[in-house]
């Protein structure tokens, strides 16, 4: 199988967010970056499919040179090849999806795997955009996948349950936590990743459809009332929830 | 100008989020002096769509077909895009549910439209629609505007209020769409229901437990309170990874994002990754033994105590309040 995994490079989950001078983006100072956590599930799934069916796994990312770190991590986990669509300009999901789809369309991939969402902008759009641009189905937020007799069955999380989607290859999927348990890179993998080549391409420019006007830090105004230290505080808690907060 | 609202149903029943989207659409339609149209896709929906009139919607388009009973990304996306094109709708609302978020990007490509995901507020400024959406796990919000001719917005569940207004009798139009097998390139063939409790993303009250619940069986205390209140049950990643609770219940950065009226965190420390999923709750209650636990920093009400004894007392007290 030819498997393409799209990976993103994002601020780590502990990052303190400050707004940049332009008032529109995160201030980059003091930010540590990491492979988008959901993309690890996508990489793991691709590696397992290759281990079972043979083939090749290609990791693909769009971004600046810093994204190479995420490609190295993907290589260390075991992907065969890495490609950087080198672009430092501001892009929205549509524009990223367009560049990814352009790069993937001539790869004759059987499956293109994504994380469910980037934990920077929480957009959850790129997998569907790439699927539609390539003219193939996309199944989002999957927690289970089986391929047999030319059919693909994916279980996806929905509100209050799961649904099973039937589709066929080639297909786009996006991985939700629970799909698998991602492996840790081995020492050998990490060493090997350092010397593997990263192919670079320059994607075509694409206009922005969604424009950020401003970024704000929310002002949390919480009551912060400690009511007591044991179950004797409960009547007062319930009273406050009923009469003051009016939520029950 | 026309605003098209996709109304989500599962197994013939419209979801509250569909009414939230209609009400948000109604508000924007009034501000922009636009026409509001609801679109329903499924099978045998005529009786239910009549009820849309209570939310002040006067035009409903129905696409009905036995094959649309169950959700199909490919078929639903095609229908929504066709209806939007035929009607010349410039604004499309979907709920930011598992279905809406699955559909929106595919429709965006079909209509060459920009899409703002998971919006928590919408306003009109100098003629532009400005959408506010959380980024970086709720540590910041951004205001965005969409520059393409057609604009798509997905609305976070539980944030926009579904409001009944002066009832109207909507006209219901059948919209014919020719569907071939190829349009069902992906389709749902089976649905399994998890617990029968509301999902954390849709519940107005969420009660969550963490490692401080001490053992998986102690979650019965949380379930008992949840069932008394009709609430959803959530969990921290620590207890999901330990196998105490299922992935569906995980709240946080790598779990679900929730915005209930009240979120009750029991034995949860309040790690940033957990806060990422619940800091948008309208009211937060923390029950934790440790007075220095970070969860108290974002809580409205707290009890510094043992969740295992506080929870049963809450069940008793809530039953009293509800007269049960
Ligand atoms: C990339 C990444 C993603 C993550 N994503 C998520 C996520 O989506 N969601 C998430 O929740 N976490 C996530 N985490 C994990 C997060 O960092 C914390 O480890 C986790 O939230 C801790 O869970 P907890 O609060 O249940 O456990 P602990 O941190 O162990 O806290 C237990 C709390 O219970 C209290 N306690 C103990 N006994 C009692 C008692 N009897 N009564 C009352 N209180 C008691 C203790 O004082 C303590 O505060 C993520 C971490 C990483 C690195
Ligand atoms: N710059 C990027 N390069 C490659 N893949 C990306 C990029 N951004 C996002 N993705 C992929 O798209 C998924 C969904 O991201 P998003 O739509 O941004 O929430 C991520 O989990 C990645 O798999």
């Amino acid at each position: 199988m030819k498997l393409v995994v799209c990976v993103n490079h994002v601020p780590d989950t502990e990052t303190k967010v400050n707004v940049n001078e332009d008032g529109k983006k995160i201030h980059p100072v003091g930010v540590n970056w990491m492979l988008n956590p959901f993309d690890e599930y996508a990489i793991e799934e691709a590696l397992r499919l290759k281990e079972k069916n043979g083939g090749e796994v290609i990791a693909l990312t769009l971004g600046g040179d810093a994204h190479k770190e995420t490609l190295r991590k993907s290589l260390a986990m075991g992907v065969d090849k890495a490609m950087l669509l080198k672009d430092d300009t501001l892009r929205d999901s549509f524009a990223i999806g367009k560049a990814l789809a352009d790069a993937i369309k001539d790869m004759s991939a059987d499956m293109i795997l994504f994380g469910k969402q980037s934990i920077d902008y929480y957009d959850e759009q790129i997998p569907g955009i790439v699927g539609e641009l390539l003219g193939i189905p996309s199944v989002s937020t999957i927690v289970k996948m089986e391929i047999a007799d030319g059919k693909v069955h994916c279980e996806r999380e929905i509100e209050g349950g799961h649904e099973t989607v039937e589709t066929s290859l080639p297909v786009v999927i996006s991985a939700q936590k629970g799909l698998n348990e991602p492996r840790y890179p081995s020492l050998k993998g990490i060493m090997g990743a350092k010397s593997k080549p990263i192919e670079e391409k320059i994607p075509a420019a694409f206009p922005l459809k969604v424009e950020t006007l401003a970024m704000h830090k929310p002002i949390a105004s919480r009551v912060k009332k400690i009511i007591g230290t044991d179950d004797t505080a409960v009547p007062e808690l319930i009273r406050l929830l009923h009469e003051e907060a009016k939520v029950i | 100008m026309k605003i098209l609202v996709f109304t989500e149903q599962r197994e013939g029943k419209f979801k509250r989020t569909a009414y939230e989207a209609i009400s948000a659409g109604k508000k924007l339609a009034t501000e922009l002096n636009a026409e509001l149209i609801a679109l329903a896709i499924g099978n045998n929906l005529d009786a239910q769509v009549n009820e849309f009139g209570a939310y002040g919607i006067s035009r409903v388009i129905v696409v009905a077909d036995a094959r649309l009973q169950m959700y199909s990304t490919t078929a639903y996306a095609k229908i929504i895009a066709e209806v939007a094109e035929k009607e010349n709708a410039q604004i499309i609302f979907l709920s930011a549910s598992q279905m809406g978020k699955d559909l929106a990007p595919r429709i965006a490509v079909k209509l060459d439209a920009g899409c703002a995901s998971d919006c928590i507020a919408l306003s009109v400024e100098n003629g532009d629609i400005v959408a506010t959406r959380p980024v970086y796990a709720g540590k910041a919000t951004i205001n965005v505007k969409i520059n393409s001719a057609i604009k798509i917005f997905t609305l976070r569940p539980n944030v926009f209020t579904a409001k009944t207004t002066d009832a109207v009798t909507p006209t219901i139009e059948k919209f014919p769409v020719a569907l071939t097998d190829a349009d069902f390139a992906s389709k749902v063939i089976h649905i399994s229901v998890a617990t029968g409790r509301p999902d954390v993303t849709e519940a107005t009250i969420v009660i969550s437990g963490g490692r401080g619940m001490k053992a998986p069986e102690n979650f019965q205390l949380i379930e008992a309170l949840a069932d008394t209140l009709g609430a959803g049950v959530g969990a921290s990643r620590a207890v999901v990874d330990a196998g105490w609770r299922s992935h569906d219940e995980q709240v946080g950065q790598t779990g679900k994002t929730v915005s209930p009226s009240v979120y009750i965190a029991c034995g949860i420390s309040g790690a940033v990754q957990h806060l990422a999923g619940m800091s948008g709750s309208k009211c937060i209650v923390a029950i934790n033994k440790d007075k220095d636990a970070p969860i108290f920093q974002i809580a409205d009400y707290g009890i510094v105590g043992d969740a295992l004894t506080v929870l049963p007392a809450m069940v008793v007290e809530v039953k009293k309040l509800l007269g049960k």
Side-chain angles (χ1 to χ4, degrees), chain A residues 15 120-121 123 138 140-141 156-157 159 162-164 166 177 209 211 213 216 222 225 227 244, chain B residues 10 98 102 106 117 133 136 139 141 143 145 147 187 189-190 192 250 281 297 300-302:
Chain A
T15 301
D120 49 7
Y121 272 62
D123 240 12
S138 54
S140 59
T141 57
R156 64 187 295 263
E157 264 184 10
E159 294 80 7
H162 286 186
E163 64 185 13
T164 308
E166 183 175 276
K177 176 173 179 279
K209 293 190 192 307
E211 184 185 332
L213 304 171
H216 301 286
R222 295 286 175 188
K225 205 184 268 181
I227 302 161
E244 189 175 273
Chain B
R10 290 258 182 203
Q98 284 297 92
D102 191 55
R106 300 204 63 120
S117 302
R133 47 181 311 267
Y136 296 106
K139 291 177 207 167
T141 57
N143 290 346
K145 73 169 190 170
N147 293 326
K187 59 173 190 268
I189 54 166
H190 177 72
S192 61
Q250 186 185 317
S281 306
Q297 289 308 309
D300 294 287
Y301 305 110

Side-chain angles (χ1 to χ4, degrees), chain A residues 86-103:
Chain A
K86 198 167 162 173
D87 184 54
D88 271 323
T89 62
L90 186 69
R91 284 187 181 240
D92 60 14
S93 291
F94 204 125
I96 297 171
K98 177 78 171 89
L100 295 174
D102 284 346

Side-chain angles (χ1 to χ4, degrees), chain A residues 8 10-13 17 34 36-38 93 116-127, chain B residues 96 101 115-119 133-140 142 154 156 251-258 272-279:
Chain A
N8 198 6
V10 296
D12 97 14
T13 53
V17 170
M34 67 172 191
N36 186 41
F38 290 110
S93 291
K116 149 183 120 116
Q117 71 186 164
S118 303
I119 62 155
D120 49 7
Y121 272 62
Y122 279 73
D123 240 12
E124 252 184 284
Q125 289 192 38
I126 296 176
Chain B
K101 287 187 291 187
C115 172
S117 302
D118 210 18
C119 302
R133 47 181 311 267
V135 292
Y136 296 106
K139 291 177 207 167
I142 51 172
T154 65
R156 177 178 287 190
V251 172
Q253 189 130 33
T254 42
K256 292 180 173 169
T257 306
V258 303
V272 286
Q273 296 91 354
H274 188 80
L275 304 187
M278 43 67 77
S279 59

Side-chain angles (χ1 to χ4, degrees), chain A residues 94 125 129 132 209, chain B residues 77 81 92 103-115 148 150 152:
Chain A
F94 204 125
Q125 289 192 38
I129 287 171
E132 185 67 36
K209 293 190 192 307
Chain B
I92 303 172
L103 285 167
R106 300 204 63 120
I107 301 165
V109 172
K110 287 182 195 287
L111 300 174
D112 197 30
C115 172
S148 49
I150 299 175
I152 302 176

Side-chain angles (χ1 to χ4, degrees), chain B residues 282-302:
Chain B
K282 277 146 235 144
C283 174
I284 296 173
V285 177
I287 302 162
N288 192 304
K289 276 212 301 216
D290 174 9
K291 69 169 180 17
D292 297 322
I295 190 79
F296 287 119
Q297 289 308 309
I298 66 147
D300 294 287
Y301 305 110

